[in-house]
Amino acid sequence: MLRLHNSIRPAFRSRRWAHNIPSFSHLNTVNEEDLAHFSSILAPTSILSTLPSISTPADDIAPYNVDWMGKYHGQANSVLRPRTTQQVSEIVKYCAQRKIGIVPQGGNTGLVGGGISLQKEIVLSLGAMNNVRSFDPVSGILVADAGCILQSLSEHIAPHNHIMPLDLGAKGSCQIGGNISTNAGGLRLLRYGSLHGTVLGLEVVLPDGTILDQLSTLRKDNTGYDLKQLFIGGEGTLGIVTGVSILTPPAPQATNNIFLALPHFDNVLPLFQIVKRQLGEIMSAFEYIDRTAYDMGLQHGLGPLLSADEAGGSQCFVLVETSGGNQDHDLEKLNNLLESLLTADEPLINTGVLSQSPTQFNSIWALREGLTECVQKEGKPYKYDVSVPLADFQKVVDAVRERMISKGLYGDHAISKVMGYGHVGDGNLHLNVIAKHGYRPELEAALEPFIYEIVADRKGSVSAEHGIGSMKRDALHYSKSDVSIDWMRKIKQVFDPLNIMNPGKVIP
Ligand code: FAD
Ligand code: MLT
Ligand code: ZN
């Protein structure tokens, strides 16, 4: 039996742990009078409600009350879909007067329950605000409504040979406003950095309805506090992002990728160092997939990138992408890398493939990007998105599997798979624990706070990129000190003294 390695067993600590159910006694539920007021601001088609005067069919309102995983269920009786910033402002002003809680919702692809109402707050969906306001092909600065879908923005700028600085598997549904509000990471962070750097300006409707216009298109602006940073990763708790100004990089002239099979997880770290050194400035992604995740991908029709023989005996896999300016130069570097890896005295890899065409390039990425959807098909996932030292990635996954075995909760009757994949280059592990037959309190109790303790012991983060939402609200203290949380509360109080803006999310 696999033994829990001492170095990964969480140390005893007397941290507080409880999932508290927030009380919203300070808030009112939307009634017919409120709907009449919203009808004076919005077109009839922009209001959905189960209340009699509107009577939206249950099936039409249901998608706004459940998240992508089917883990979080809301009770909003009304959804508003404004088309302009002015409309958002008028709605919020009214909600502040009436003390109605508001949940901003983008593409609803979030994985921590941040965009779903906890009780009967109203959902304010940004999907109808989807116009590109401007694009400057010289500077690469794009200004767009918050409700624009990430992929449609990529398509908008592609003819100008620019790309979005972020890319994620949910690109076909997630919105740029949602990306900014979650400070989404994704597959390009290693190359282009986080949204804290690439977002130049924001337009935000504050919780009293004031429009904060900071839609700057300046690369440099050192005029006092940089307020926009508070809304990047603010998860809709401080205001509603309605417009975005973002710096888009020129599309690389040459992109390539390789997929490597490694005999042992311990090889990942030395491999990362070698790849970084040999590829230098052209390395743009270094992604990790463990054996369980790879096999699951195959079962669901991804790949195969390697034959069963080639992949056999490999504990894990790595995807490396290069983005550079000259195809011959980049290919030479990649070929040299592969040759040196395969001919080393003690090779770090079993085998590898180099994409030879755009189709092969895409199918290598499809295997990595498709894992989230495969996990979803396998059952109900408990998704932990953590930052831990790279050397501990596999130990964390193994420790969690061992924990479930020791509790008698591992197998098709309970947790059928525990796997890891993620952004090695960013120190970000996606630990996925699949409940074959659905979410159950005893499964969650076995996983939490166990996993958060492990992360805290390694001085990691309980959220590397997905955010806190309602899932990790009570786990925030595993990564933030009491002083930090206290100052977060004070900031929330300054912006949202009535606590109407995404109440019960992020702040414990
Ligand atoms: P939503 O889910 O609608 O909302 C997310 C949060 O932001 C909520 O708290 C909501 O209240 C708030 N919000 C949304 N819009 C606004 C707004 N305009 N103003 C204020 N608050 C707002 N995440 C990553 O970081 N990296 C990945 O690689 C990644 N890959 C994914 C792959 C798949 C297949 C899926 C399903 C999800 C993935 N995610 C990833 C998670 C998710 O896609 C991101 O968090 C994304 O940024 C959420 O955008 P959204 O528009 O769907 O926001
Ligand atoms: C990813 O990197 O694939 C995403 O963050 C989604 C996930 O964790 O599954
Ligand atoms: Zn990710």
Side-chain angles (χ1 to χ4, degrees):
M1 184 183 298
L2 191 64
R3 283 275 138 241
L4 185 61
H5 194 285
N6 266 342
S7 71
I8 203 76
R9 195 195 300 269
F12 175 78
R13 54 182 66 234
S14 57
R15 288 178 189 270
R16 308 171 297 280
W17 176 252
H19 262 315
N20 299 309
I21 299 171
S23 151
F24 291 166
S25 53
H26 66 296
L27 297 177
N28 293 309
T29 305
V30 176
N31 60 28
E32 290 286 6
E33 228 175 282
D34 301 322
L35 287 183
H37 184 84
F38 294 136
S39 301
S40 71
I41 303 171
L42 299 173
T45 49
S46 303
I47 305 175
L48 288 74
S49 180
T50 53
L51 296 183
S53 67
I54 308 261
S55 288
T56 304
D59 281 359
D60 292 352
I61 212 160
Y64 299 92
N65 270 327
V66 62
D67 72 318
W68 190 83
M69 296 176 291
K71 186 177 182 193
Y72 299 94
H73 298 269
Q75 302 168 45
N77 65 13
S78 305
V79 175
L80 304 180
R81 294 178 49 84
R83 295 192 165 276
T84 67
T85 303
Q86 194 55 42
Q87 288 177 342
V88 176
S89 163
E90 285 174 39
I91 292 165
V92 174
K93 211 170 277 171
Y94 178 80
C95 288
Q97 276 163 21
R98 268 275 296 142
K99 297 203 176 55
I100 293 171
I102 304 171
V103 178
Q105 195 178 89
N108 199 11
T109 66
L111 298 171
V112 292
I116 298 297
S117 74
L118 284 172
Q119 290 173 23
K120 292 209 163 143
E121 311 88 278
I122 200 165
V123 170
L124 195 144
S125 166
L126 277 296
M129 290 185 62
N130 55 8
N131 291 314
V132 172
R133 300 190 191 178
S134 66
F135 178 68
D136 177 359
V138 178
S139 64
I141 294 168
L142 171 72
V143 182
D145 286 351
C148 289
I149 305 271
L150 179 60
Q151 185 164 313
S152 65
L153 291 177
S154 295
E155 285 163 8
H156 184 90
I157 60 178
H160 304 281
N161 283 319
H162 275 256
I163 58 170
M164 294 301 287
L166 79 163
D167 183 27
L168 42 148
K171 56 178 153 276
S173 308
C174 64
Q175 299 171 6
I176 191 68
N179 300 148
I180 282 162
S181 303
T182 54
N183 186 25
L187 306 163
R188 292 185 182 152
L189 189 132
L190 187 68
R191 165 56 63 94
Y192 299 111
S194 95
L195 290 165
H196 283 292
T198 49
V199 171
L200 301 179
L202 292 179
E203 177 189 83
V204 182
V205 173
L206 299 175
D208 66 354
T210 307
I211 299 171
L212 176 71
D213 184 352
Q214 294 209 331
L215 216 43
S216 165
T217 51
L218 304 173
R219 286 293 297 274
K220 297 182 82 172
D221 179 11
N222 238 355
T223 49
Y225 302 143
D226 191 359
L227 293 180
K228 71 170 183 292
Q229 299 297 352
L230 287 172
F231 304 98
I232 302 174
E235 299 186 53
T237 60
L238 299 178
I240 301 176
V241 176
T242 49
V244 175
S245 163
I246 188 165
L247 186 63
T248 70
Q253 301 294 301
T255 45
N256 297 285
N257 56 12
I258 52 176
F259 191 75
L260 307 173
L262 282 64
H264 197 273
F265 175 78
D266 289 346
N267 295 8
V268 177
L269 193 52
L271 179 71
F272 183 42
Q273 287 169 308
I274 290 176
V275 172
K276 260 200 301 191
R277 200 172 51 238
Q278 287 207 24
L279 294 181
E281 79 295 347
I282 65 169
M283 183 175 91
S284 53
F286 192 103
E287 295 283 320
Y288 169 70
I289 301 173
D290 77 7
R291 181 81 214 193
T292 312
Y294 178 82
D295 287 342
M296 175 195 67
L298 257 51
Q299 276 159 20
H300 290 281
L302 300 176
L305 301 175
L306 305 165
S307 69
D309 271 357
E310 286 171 324
S314 300
Q315 270 190 4
C316 59
F317 303 85
V318 158
L319 184 165
V320 182
E321 184 197 64
T322 62
S323 303
N326 183 304
Q327 180 70 350
D328 292 342
H329 163 269
D330 296 359
L331 271 181
E332 192 185 331
K333 273 190 152 184
L334 271 171
N335 279 317
N336 289 343
L337 170 71
L338 279 177
E339 197 183 317
S340 69
L341 288 174
L342 289 166
T343 56
D345 290 341
E346 288 179 40
L348 292 172
I349 63 169
N350 285 334
T351 184
V353 285
L354 166 64
S355 62
Q356 304 283 335
S357 67
T359 311
Q360 288 178 8
F361 176 87
N362 290 336
S363 63
I364 288 184
W365 265 121
L367 178 70
R368 168 62 188 87
E369 282 191 72
L371 293 176
T372 315
E373 300 222 1
C374 295
V375 163
Q376 196 64 19
K377 290 178 193 156
E378 282 280 320
K380 287 292 180 193
Y382 291 95
K383 294 178 80 71
Y384 300 94
D385 154 50
V386 300
S387 281
V388 285
L390 173 51
D392 288 346
F393 267 34
Q394 199 55 40
K395 289 184 202 157
V396 172
V397 175
D398 291 345
V400 172
R401 188 181 299 111
E402 177 66 16
R403 161 100 169 163
M404 300 318 273
I405 293 170
S406 71
K407 297 234 163 230
L409 294 173
Y410 193 72
D412 275 355
H413 65 291
I415 296 300
S416 55
K417 284 190 170 80
V418 178
M419 69 183 79
Y421 54 89
H423 318 288
V424 164
D426 312 325
N428 175 188
L429 168 70
H430 291 312
L431 166 64
N432 284 255
V433 183
I434 297 171
K436 180 98 174 171
H437 302 293
Y439 297 114
R440 283 175 11 210
E442 73 271 25
L443 300 179
E444 185 169 309
L447 294 166
E448 300 170 18
F450 180 78
I451 292 170
Y452 301 134
E453 296 278 358
I454 288 179
V455 171
D457 282 347
R458 325 219 86 65
K459 299 199 178 353
S461 170
V462 297
S463 173
E465 61 176 11
H466 296 163
I468 297 296
S470 54
M471 177 188 178
K472 292 174 245 171
R473 181 193 56 235
D474 299 311
L476 190 63
H477 62 277
Y478 286 99
S479 294
K480 285 261 188 297
S481 68
D482 288 348
V483 174
S484 305
I485 294 177
D486 204 34
W487 277 94
M488 284 171 69
R489 280 206 185 95
K490 286 178 187 162
I491 290 169
K492 169 78 174 170
Q493 174 71 20
V494 167
F495 279 88
D496 185 20
L498 301 172
N499 191 17
I500 60 164
M501 201 51 81
N502 218 358
K505 310 290 169 52
V506 182
I507 298 179

